[in-house]
Amino acid sequence: MIFKASYLISILHISDLHRSPSEPVNNDSLIAALVADGDRYLGETPRVPPPCGIIVSGDIIQGARIGADGWREEMVSQYVTAKDFLCKLADRFLEGDRSQVVLIPGNHDVCWNTSRSAMEKAQTNEIGNDIPSLIEQRGSRYRWSWKDQSAYKITDNTLYLRKLDAYWEFVSDFYSGFSFPLPIDRARGFQLFELHKNSVLVAAFDSTYGNDCFGYSGDIEPGVVGRCSLAIRDLPRAYELKAAVWHHSIEGPPMRQDYMDVIHVKEMAGLGFQIGFHGHQHIGATQTRSVHLNEEHAMAVVSAGSLCAGARELPRGINRQYNMVVIEDDFRTSRVHAREMGEGGQFSRKTNGEFLTGYARVSWRAQENLGGQTVKPDEENTRRVILRAEELLKAGMAKCALGELMAIDITRSAYAKRLACDAALEAKEWETLKLLLSETASDEEVVWLIIASIETRDLAHAADLIKTHTELAKPVVQQLNDRLALAKMKAGK
């Protein structure tokens, strides 16, 4: 049985692991620096507990230049290095449980050589005069190259869709042997992860739709956020917190185009996501995005700086960074602790900007149902389990029903306890029945406990229970004594 206690949830949020060729960082040195910083933040005030999960918000590798010799082998080699790092990170912080590591691709994971091979220069007579509108249209097959001042067209869509092959091969290898709420599916546009004993659901969105060697903006394929929300509704349990992850930043300078339209985040907020994580901009930050329906639905958004980028890729005055995101036990507020690399390649508190005290606070609305009432996941999960258990019992699957019920805190529902006792009796799971009846609330439960004690050969206890519970009806006592006598005879007592 699960008994809920007050706790803080801490998530290690890293991003942009691409290694600059001019400033490579060694895996062992990086792991050592993260572990050493763990010693530091565990002793800080306010408290930062060790992480229960790791979110990696894209750009796992640097990638390979177009036309570079051996670019395939180079990308595979970079993913081997990334896997070694992430496996060691999971071993150190999560006891090797890679199902608690959330991965998504970033623009650096998109193979430029593959996407370029799927394109040809567009003919002048097919592009017309209004090139910007042709290129900017969502889902357009046309791209513009500033380098050679030419328009390109995607002519081999099958090849184009293989631009993340190396990433997905890496993901398949990394997660081999681990299970998830839904199987990993590269074509779905999102993956689902459960963190911290299934209390937190994380939806990882691929924001590289349309991203390639000439198209730099982030985008999520139309319909993906909605399909994800529907898939979550169909899951067998409710969650204390619904989080989203994507790679691209959601704002940028006027002349830049490598960020994602904030409309996606507003859709997430409207569908009940409460906190979002991203990378790409190479600096840690927090903000709140809202959508107004009948009332304001606010979603906290947290970005992590780059863990591995070099000085040429980092914003001026910014060092390598990562976040520790501490979620309070009300599941409505969080502290984002930004950690920054300093002397000796070591991390410590970032103490400037919005992280002047080493952390920033963010908050969001509690989950609500259509009636505007606050959703209580524990109560909802109990209700769902009871319904499933009832169906299993009707189908003669008592043991399965008992397994479902024992996974929740049945002390919250007298009916759930009664249903579990019925299932244990039918399945003849006597030890479990004794556990359920450690505290009896009726004569019937006392009788069940006596029967369970007899069946488990705890005969002295059974006899004591019969003797002390004088309120039991005489015919019932006689039947129990007869059963006890038969058990003693079989036991040779």
Side-chain angles (χ1 to χ4, degrees):
M1 290 180 287
I2 296 175
F3 298 93
K4 186 178 177 183
S6 178
Y7 48 71
L8 299 176
I9 294 176
S10 187
I11 295 174
L12 171 58
H13 179 200
I14 59 177
S15 192
D16 297 81
L17 311 187
H18 46 74
R19 319 292 176 95
S20 302
S22 59
E23 295 181 67
V25 56
N26 178 271
N27 277 353
D28 291 330
S29 295
L30 190 56
I31 292 290
L34 290 168
V35 171
D37 194 36
D39 295 337
R40 282 185 282 274
Y41 62 63
L42 286 175
E44 291 182 1
T45 302
R47 189 168 73 91
V48 180
C52 68
I54 299 172
I55 287 176
V56 188
S57 52
D59 277 0
I60 310 299
I61 64 167
Q62 179 72 13
R65 292 180 294 103
I66 294 178
D69 292 336
W71 60 265
R72 288 187 180 86
E73 293 76 10
E74 174 60 25
M75 291 188 71
V76 170
S77 175
Q78 290 180 27
Y79 276 119
V80 168
T81 301
K83 182 190 173 187
D84 175 70
F85 169 70
L86 291 170
C87 286
K88 288 178 177 176
L89 196 66
D91 289 343
R92 289 284 179 176
F93 288 98
L94 304 175
E95 298 181 343
D97 187 356
R98 298 182 207 170
S99 71
Q100 303 297 286
V101 179
V102 178
L103 295 176
I104 58 163
N107 55 291
H108 276 262
D109 296 298
V110 174
C111 178
W112 281 14
N113 285 278
T114 299
S115 59
R116 175 63 185 85
S117 297
M119 302 178 188
E120 294 179 2
K121 277 192 177 182
Q123 300 299 315
T124 304
N125 61 355
E126 66 177 308
I127 60 176
N129 296 322
D130 192 2
I131 295 177
S133 63
L134 182 70
I135 293 171
E136 293 169 5
Q137 183 179 356
R138 195 175 191 190
S140 173
R141 299 171 68 86
Y142 292 91
R143 301 290 187 271
W144 178 259
S145 169
W146 285 103
K147 184 176 181 180
D148 56 8
Q149 301 287 291
S150 298
Y152 285 80
K153 180 181 180 181
I154 299 170
T155 55
D156 188 341
N157 195 56
T158 301
L159 178 59
Y160 182 81
L161 293 175
R162 296 182 58 188
K163 61 185 181 177
L164 283 170
D165 273 6
Y167 168 81
W168 286 112
E169 288 170 8
F170 152 73
V171 165
S172 178
D173 184 31
F174 182 78
Y175 287 135
S176 178
F178 293 91
S179 60
F180 303 91
L182 294 177
I184 299 295
D185 181 355
R186 64 178 291 174
R188 194 170 52 222
F190 69 90
Q191 316 302 327
L192 296 180
F193 300 82
E194 292 174 327
L195 304 184
H196 195 75
K197 303 175 183 177
N198 302 335
S199 63
V200 177
L201 181 74
V202 181
F205 294 102
D206 181 353
S207 64
T208 67
Y209 176 70
N211 191 277
D212 52 48
C213 56
F214 299 134
Y216 305 140
S217 61
D219 197 6
I220 296 174
E221 185 178 0
V224 164
V225 176
R227 288 194 293 274
C228 177
S229 178
L230 293 173
I232 293 171
R233 282 178 175 269
D234 293 337
L235 292 177
R237 61 175 295 109
Y239 300 87
E240 296 281 0
L241 181 67
K242 286 169 57 180
V245 185
W246 62 92
H247 174 65
H248 289 80
S249 47
I250 52 177
E251 57 184 26
M255 298 305 291
R256 293 283 294 274
Q257 56 176 324
D258 63 339
Y259 50 92
M260 185 181 80
D261 192 336
V262 72
I263 191 65
H264 295 302
V265 179
K266 291 192 173 185
E267 182 180 9
M268 293 174 198
L271 291 172
F273 288 95
Q274 297 153 287
I275 185 170
F277 300 82
H278 71 85
H280 190 64
Q281 63 188 26
H282 293 183
I283 183 170
T286 64
Q287 56 179 296
T288 299
R289 291 291 175 170
S290 303
V291 58
H292 293 268
L293 302 171
N294 294 331
E295 295 182 8
E296 181 187 63
H297 289 250
M299 179 177 174
V301 179
V302 176
S303 70
S306 173
L307 187 67
C308 302
R312 293 182 180 179
E313 297 168 301
L314 292 170
R316 184 184 297 275
I318 300 299
N319 298 315
R320 290 168 175 157
Q321 298 177 355
Y322 76 96
N323 292 335
M324 290 297 296
V325 181
V326 181
I327 299 165
E328 304 286 351
D329 56 10
D330 62 358
F331 289 98
R332 295 181 63 177
T333 55
S334 176
R335 288 181 274 113
V336 181
H337 295 253
R339 317 296 295 184
E340 190 166 41
M341 184 177 280
E343 290 187 66
Q346 300 303 302
F347 292 97
S348 60
R349 296 186 194 202
K350 175 179 169 61
T351 54
N352 53 29
E354 66 178 302
F355 301 102
L356 191 62
T357 59
Y359 64 93
R361 289 189 177 274
V362 293
S363 61
W364 50 87
R365 287 177 62 91
Q367 296 183 65
E368 295 179 347
N369 59 25
L370 294 177
Q373 299 169 317
T374 299
V375 173
K376 298 179 180 179
D378 279 352
E379 294 179 6
E380 174 63 17
N381 284 329
T382 298
R383 185 187 69 83
R384 293 186 187 187
V385 168
I386 287 173
L387 291 174
R388 286 199 302 273
E390 287 176 336
E391 292 299 319
L392 289 167
L393 273 172
K394 288 179 184 178
M397 303 172 68
K399 195 166 186 176
C400 293
L402 183 61
E404 291 270 358
L405 290 162
M406 293 303 290
I408 64 172
D409 181 5
I410 61 171
T411 62
R412 298 172 63 92
S413 168
Y415 181 65
K417 180 182 177 183
R418 170 60 187 256
L419 206 60
C421 289
D422 287 344
L425 277 168
E426 189 171 327
K428 297 183 178 180
E429 293 284 347
W430 307 116
E431 290 291 355
T432 303
L433 186 57
K434 287 169 65 177
L435 176 63
L436 289 166
L437 298 174
S438 56
E439 292 184 11
T440 55
S442 67
D443 290 352
E444 186 178 35
E445 290 187 359
V446 172
V447 171
W448 289 345
L449 180 57
I450 293 170
I451 292 173
S453 298
I454 293 172
E455 292 295 334
T456 56
R457 301 296 185 266
D458 191 0
L459 305 182
H461 185 222
D464 186 58
L465 287 170
I466 294 172
K467 182 179 179 181
T468 55
H469 285 276
T470 57
E471 73 280 4
L472 296 177
K474 288 184 179 180
V476 173
V477 173
Q478 184 61 51
Q479 289 179 25
L480 292 172
N481 277 322
D482 289 346
R483 191 164 185 164
L484 178 60
L486 181 60
K488 288 181 177 179
M489 185 184 304
K490 289 180 179 179
K493 295 183 179 180

